[in-house]
Amino acid sequence: MRKPFVGGNWKMNLNAAASRTLADDLARAIATDRLDQACDIAIFPPFVYIRHVHNVLRDRSSSVMLGAQDVWPEPSGAFTGEVSAAMLKDCGVSVVLTGHSERRHVIGEGDELINRKTRAALDAGLQVILCIGEKLEERTAGQTDAVNERQLRAGLANVPAGHLNRLTIAYEPVWAIGTGKNATPADAQDAHTKCRAVLASLFGADAAGRIRIQYGGSVKGSNAGELMTQPDIDGGLIGGASLKAEEFLSIVRAAAAAPAKGR
Ligand code: 13P
């Protein structure tokens, strides 16, 4: 069965004190309500607060996974401003995002770099959430499935089957991110089914049936229930709503309460 997985992507928000407070509030509530029994949970602070959040999670012996929003594919060297997978591991990180739409479309990362980052992080033993999703003009032009397929095939090129147990996909339609608009549960389910079919053609049906596919884009406590009960939605990647403990926790609760999925 696929255990749901909810990630809180804090993006470039908060400061050191607010990062500590938010991590502490989440760790405490998740332990008290034993939410981690039915749902994996990760938070992705800005790089500079990773250490602060690490210390909070360590002090609470929390099961919440520490994530990073990005990674550079080379192990070390003259890459000013960048951070390697080994450095992230050294700071207690266990999961990284690759291919986030803001890195693709605001910062200009292409499929080839995203593939290198994905492979480097997996090779280093980290978990990876590979983010994919179409822009509004691509959706309007009927290219949603083709864009998702291209981003999956390119992002996962030469990923060994042995690493797939550390891979999650996040389908985040770009037009739904931070806009308050989200895909209908049926549209999201349809996209997830098609993504799983692409994964099956790459890695076989059994492996594809085990890979979790999160939905992301304006997920909130009020719409999470309907999304999380879809049979191919295995949790969410949450932006704005992950900055408020209660809102994020209500999404985690919705994912934890959803019927079991997979075989
Ligand atoms: P919002 O939840 O703010 O739409 O952001 C989604 C996202 O980009 C998570 O990675």
Side-chain angles (χ1 to χ4, degrees):
M1 305 303 288
R2 300 187 301 268
K3 189 177 184 185
F5 183 11
V6 174
N9 176 9
W10 296 357
K11 307 192 180 183
M12 198 176 76
N13 291 297
L14 307 179
N15 57 24
S19 296
R20 280 198 209 94
T21 304
L22 180 54
D24 198 55
D25 289 349
L26 293 174
R28 203 159 14 89
I30 286 161
T32 306
D33 296 351
R34 295 168 163 257
L35 292 171
D36 52 350
Q37 310 257 301
C39 186
D40 287 338
I41 301 146
I43 50 180
F44 299 80
F47 278 143
V48 287
Y49 304 134
I50 280 177
R51 203 67 193 169
H52 303 68
V53 170
H54 169 76
N55 291 346
V56 170
L57 298 177
R58 181 203 55 204
D59 291 350
R60 287 216 171 264
S61 305
S62 179
S63 61
V64 173
M65 285 182 280
L66 181 59
Q69 298 174 19
D70 191 22
V71 61
W72 188 250
E74 298 300 328
S76 63
F79 302 102
T80 302
E82 297 298 337
V83 176
S84 72
M87 291 171 180
L88 293 173
K89 285 181 76 178
D90 199 23
C91 292
V93 166
S94 57
V95 50
V96 301
L97 304 181
T98 59
H100 192 277
S101 83
E102 285 137 27
R103 297 217 60 92
R104 291 179 190 269
H105 304 303
V106 181
I107 292 153
E109 288 189 10
D111 282 323
E112 195 260 342
L113 177 59
I114 292 164
N115 173 246
R116 285 173 56 213
K117 291 183 173 192
T118 302
R119 284 188 290 131
L122 288 169
D123 285 347
L126 290 163
Q127 296 200 41
V128 171
I129 301 178
L130 170 66
C131 308
I132 60 165
E134 83 286 3
K135 295 194 280 190
L136 182 58
E137 58 266 34
E138 292 165 334
R139 184 172 195 86
T140 313
Q143 294 166 353
T144 298
D145 298 334
V147 169
N148 286 338
E149 176 161 3
R150 190 202 77 228
Q151 293 182 354
L152 280 173
R153 287 188 183 279
L156 297 173
N158 300 313
V159 166
H163 288 174
L164 295 177
N165 59 345
R166 283 184 281 108
L167 175 74
T168 297
I169 304 299
Y171 169 59
E172 302 197 293
V174 180
W175 49 271
I177 294 178
T179 58
K181 297 178 193 156
N182 56 356
T184 64
D187 281 348
Q189 165 61 22
D190 182 57
H192 282 224
T193 312
K194 306 249 171 61
C195 289
R196 204 176 296 286
V198 174
L199 295 172
S201 88
L202 284 169
F203 301 115
D206 279 357
R210 286 192 291 269
I211 296 173
R212 294 179 291 191
I213 308 179
Q214 300 172 324
Y215 173 78
S218 298
V219 180
K220 321 186 256 286
S222 56
N223 59 26
E226 241 193 319
L227 287 161
M228 298 304 149
T229 48
Q230 300 299 312
D232 283 286
I233 298 185
D234 306 310
L237 189 57
I238 319 302
S242 74
L243 299 172
K244 297 189 193 103
E246 267 321 309
E247 191 72 19
F248 185 65
L249 288 165
S250 68
I251 297 166
V252 171
R253 287 193 184 95
K261 296 161 194 180
R263 282 184 287 146

